[in-house]
Structure formats: C-alpha cells, structure tokens
C-alpha cells in the first residue's frame, strides 16, 4: 500500500502565523494553490485556505485598482492567525493513502499536512490523489 510519502507534495509552501492577510492572498494567487499550512517556531499550528480568505480578496483587488481605503488596508494587514483553522488535522508521512482519503472525506477538507518527527514535510491534497488515480487507471 502506498504511503503519503509516495504521493504528497514535499516541502510545501507555508506561512508564519503573523503573516499579513494580504501576503497570504498573494501567495495563494501566485502559486495557484488552495491550502497553506501555518507554522510557528517550527511547529504546524494551523491551515489557511483560499476559501477562508475569499471574503478579503475584494479588498486586495480594490487596493490594486487604487480604490481601497483605510478599512481595506487594515483588514489586509491583519495576521492570518486571526483567520486560520487552528484545529488542524495532519497525518504522519508513513500513513497510507487510504488514511488520507478517510480524513479528507470524514472532515470534508481538501488537503492534509504531512508531518514526520513533528516537522512539516509535505501536504497531500485532493489533486495529489486524483493524479494517483489517473496514473493507476491509465496503467
């Protein structure tokens, strides 16, 4: 059975808990990714997603267009700590792909951070699992 180490995206992009919302939105947009682990003092402390920050995206667009005011600036300067999910689910790198699927289905999440010896080493998302399925179906 394949482990998460075999299918995860290794060394994922992550953010610090004090990262401003504006920077998080730019990372999500620029990297064309949907989920970002949040790390503090080397430990996984949360997750932030494009869905969580979606209400603030318009403030960023307004500022880029020169239409944003002080409220948009204030919201985008807030740390993601205020918006992240701190009850983060994670799995060990040696767990199976089926374990990840179970967690994603049971908790209705699109990605799960992968840890080894307490450190973030990867992330497995529904996209990773779909790519695995495609390979298996076309083999």
């Amino acid at each position: 059975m394949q482990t998460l180490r075999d299918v995860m995206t290794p060394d994922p992009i992550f953010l610090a808990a004090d990262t401003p919302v504006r920077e998080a939105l730019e990372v999500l947009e620029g990297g064309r990714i949907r989920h970002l682990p949040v790390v503090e003092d080397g430990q996984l402390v949360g997750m932030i997603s494009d869905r969580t920050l979606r209400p603030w995206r318009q403030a960023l667009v307004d500022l880029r267009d020169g239409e944003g005011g002080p409220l948009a600036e204030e919201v985008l300067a807030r740390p993601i700590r205020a918006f992240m999910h701190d009850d983060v689910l994670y799995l060990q790198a040696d767990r199976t792909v089926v374990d990840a699927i179970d967690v994603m289905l049971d908790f209705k999440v699109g990605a799960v951070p992968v840890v080894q010896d307490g450190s973030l080493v990867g992330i497995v998302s529904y996209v990773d699992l779909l790519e695995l399925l495609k390979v298996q179906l076309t083999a």
Side-chain angles (χ1 to χ4, degrees):
M1 174 126 332
Q2 288 185 302
T3 66
L4 297 184
R5 190 177 290 105
D6 300 324
V7 299
M8 70 183 187
T9 300
D11 303 316
I13 297 170
F14 64 88
L15 298 175
D18 60 351
T19 301
V21 168
R22 179 183 194 143
E23 185 177 331
L25 284 165
E26 290 170 348
V27 169
L28 287 163
E29 185 178 276
R32 296 178 49 178
I33 52 180
R34 292 184 164 173
H35 306 90
L36 287 167
V38 180
V39 174
E40 192 168 52
D41 297 325
Q43 298 296 310
L44 180 67
V45 295
M47 285 286 282
I48 196 85
S49 72
D50 62 339
R51 186 179 314 163
T52 304
L53 295 180
R54 188 173 296 144
W56 313 118
R57 190 174 184 301
Q58 188 59 48
L60 179 60
V61 170
D62 290 347
L63 281 176
R64 286 179 180 162
D65 292 344
E67 298 173 12
L71 181 58
E73 288 281 358
E74 189 273 325
V75 167
L76 294 174
R78 290 181 189 169
I80 59 171
R81 167 189 333 277
F83 303 101
M84 71 180 190
H85 297 282
D86 59 4
D87 56 345
V88 63
L89 303 165
Y90 63 89
L91 290 170
Q92 299 292 325
D94 61 353
R95 297 292 293 266
T96 69
V97 170
V98 172
D99 292 333
I101 293 169
D102 285 341
V103 167
M104 293 170 136
L105 291 173
D106 290 348
F107 293 94
K108 296 179 179 30
V109 295
V112 179
V114 180
V115 299
Q116 185 171 337
D117 300 324
S119 296
L120 179 69
V121 295
I123 189 166
V124 63
S125 71
Y126 69 91
V127 172
D128 298 314
L129 299 175
L130 287 171
E131 287 175 358
L132 174 64
L133 180 61
K134 179 180 175 183
V135 167
Q136 291 179 349
L137 291 174
T138 58

